Amino acid sequence: HWLFSLFQVVHAHKPHFMALHCQEFGGKNYEASMSHVDKFVKELLSSDAMKDYNRARVYLDENYKSQEHFTALGSFYFLHESLKNIYQFDFKAKKYKKVTGKEIYSDTLESTPMLEKEKFPQDYFPECKWSRKGFIRTRWCITDCAFDLVNIHLFHDASNLIAWETSPSVYSGIRHKALGYVLDRIIDQRFEKVSYFVFGDFNFRLDAKAVVETLCAKATMQTIRAADTNEVVKLIFRESDNDRKVMLQLEKKLFDYFNQDVFRDNNGTALLEFDRELSVFKDRLYELDISFPPSYPYSEDSSQGKQYMNTRCPAWCDRILMSHSAKELILKSENDEKIVIYDHIGPNVCMGDHKPVFLSFRIAAGAGKPIANVHKCCVVQ
């Protein structure tokens, strides 16, 4: 289902350069499931749908035994045979190298000079004993346009009850810190500054307190505490009338709202006002308008492709963001033709607990470069 839905999008948009960013590669039970990764990669590279992509780079962080470095990130890059003179940046040699053939890198990516990879320090999210969150960065030059592609995975909400306590939540603050670190890292003084795209699972959540207060504005709240510790373990919101019907039940890992349609109707547009985490970065990051429903948490039952799980409040966790200079790389439509598309993949099919999102656009040759400072970014020294 997953590959078929991806190939449908590839067939529809026929990209010449395709970047695919994956998180939790090998699944949550990666020790047992990492053996399936090779089959997935081979199927992706050898499929008929990808036969016109004669060059590829695959970076898989599979070394789960390295607690210090393991991020479970996977970054795939495919180049169509029609594209000429594509270059990738060598961060160690500080120069671009022409991309030829298909290459797969896995296990220890730390020694690969064609990318930068970091796992966030443990103190960023101390309540998670062993977090895999981090980022992988690659740099490319196509049609004389240089840009970074950053595969990112930020911290999740550990408890719905804690997320509900404050607005913004404590978890929002943790993600803010981590994303700020990544943005500072990719524009530091070590390398020339270029435009960048950052995409993956940001784990951005809706403002839980504001959402609950809105959804349950006319409800009364019942608090249930643990007998031994007096700790709040459950909140029940009931309608004031209508036989005291339960509207929402909230536990650490339960968000059971009686009407899921609110998250799906009109692509959940009514809830976008509670999607506030990106606003902190509005001076540094740009995003096209969202016109798809919340990307998480979907049921992992293969027969329930459109159903959300009752574990978390649905949210737009999966995003494609860019620097403001990256907007200049995107070729604007000249005749109302819809060239730039930001959407999700497999709306009616089970794709796992996250629906993938994609951004399709054309790059304007040489765009984003000040005329006074044109330089040959892709000359191999």
Side-chain angles (χ1 to χ4, degrees), residues 19 197 288 320-322 330 339-343 357-361:
F197 297 85
L288 279 93
I320 300 175
L321 313 177
M322 66 192 81
I330 298 177
I339 289 176
V340 181
I341 299 172
Y342 186 33
D343 205 349
V357 302
F358 75 95
L359 176 64
S360 172
F361 60 90

Side-chain angles (χ1 to χ4, degrees), residues 116-228:
E116 284 198 320
K117 178 174 83 79
E118 276 192 59
K119 176 181 156 180
F120 295 118
Q122 180 70 44
D123 60 6
Y124 269 49
F125 200 41
E127 55 183 288
C128 196
K129 291 179 182 177
W130 184 15
S131 170
R132 297 173 294 281
K133 308 301 191 288
F135 71 93
I136 288 179
R137 168 199 195 184
T138 56
R139 177 170 291 190
W140 302 84
C141 193
I142 300 175
T143 64
D144 209 24
C145 296
F147 53 87
D148 282 348
L149 297 178
V150 183
N151 182 350
I152 193 168
H153 194 182
L154 297 183
F155 301 100
H156 58 280
D157 281 14
S159 167
N160 291 323
L161 293 170
I162 293 174
W164 180 80
E165 288 175 353
T166 57
S167 178
S169 78
V170 61
Y171 304 117
S172 176
I174 294 168
R175 288 188 284 271
H176 178 188
K177 177 183 176 183
L179 181 53
Y181 173 83
V182 174
L183 297 182
D184 290 342
R185 182 74 173 160
I186 61 180
I187 63 165
D188 64 16
Q189 301 302 313
R190 294 168 302 139
F191 308 105
E192 178 189 6
K193 291 181 182 177
V194 300
S195 300
Y196 55 84
F197 297 85
V198 187
F199 51 111
D201 179 8
F202 292 82
N203 262 313
F204 288 161
R205 305 300 170 102
L206 303 186
D207 186 324
K209 191 169 183 64
V211 168
V212 171
E213 288 173 352
T214 300
L215 293 179
C216 304
K218 298 180 179 179
T220 56
M221 185 180 78
Q222 176 187 358
T223 303
I224 298 175
R225 298 176 181 272
D228 49 349

Side-chain angles (χ1 to χ4, degrees), residues 11-115:
H11 180 73
H13 298 279
K14 298 178 172 56
H16 287 179
F17 177 87
M18 176 175 149
L20 173 65
H21 285 175
C22 301
Q23 283 77 34
E24 296 290 8
F25 220 78
K28 300 284 173 67
N29 302 312
Y30 40 82
E31 293 96 334
S33 304
M34 200 63 84
S35 59
H36 299 295
V37 170
D38 285 347
K39 181 185 176 186
F40 172 83
V41 173
K42 286 174 183 173
E43 197 161 335
L44 190 54
L45 288 172
S46 64
S47 70
D48 189 58
M50 305 300 290
K51 68 179 187 299
D52 294 332
Y53 296 85
N54 62 349
R55 289 151 293 168
R57 291 294 182 271
V58 178
Y59 303 104
L60 306 174
D61 192 3
E62 295 183 299
N63 188 18
Y64 57 82
K65 294 179 181 177
S66 173
Q67 185 167 341
E68 182 183 355
H69 298 294
F70 181 54
T71 63
L73 293 172
S75 296
F76 298 72
Y77 304 98
F78 301 93
L79 286 67
H80 194 272
E81 59 189 13
S82 63
L83 269 183
K84 310 300 181 190
N85 300 326
I86 306 303
Y87 300 88
Q88 187 181 0
F89 192 66
D90 182 320
F91 288 95
K92 189 173 182 180
K94 293 190 176 182
K95 64 181 181 182
Y96 288 88
K97 295 182 176 179
K98 191 169 183 176
V99 180
T100 60
K102 296 181 180 181
E103 298 176 2
I104 300 173
Y105 299 86
S106 60
D107 294 331
T108 51
L109 297 184
E110 284 68 41
S111 59
T112 304
M114 308 309 287
L115 58 80

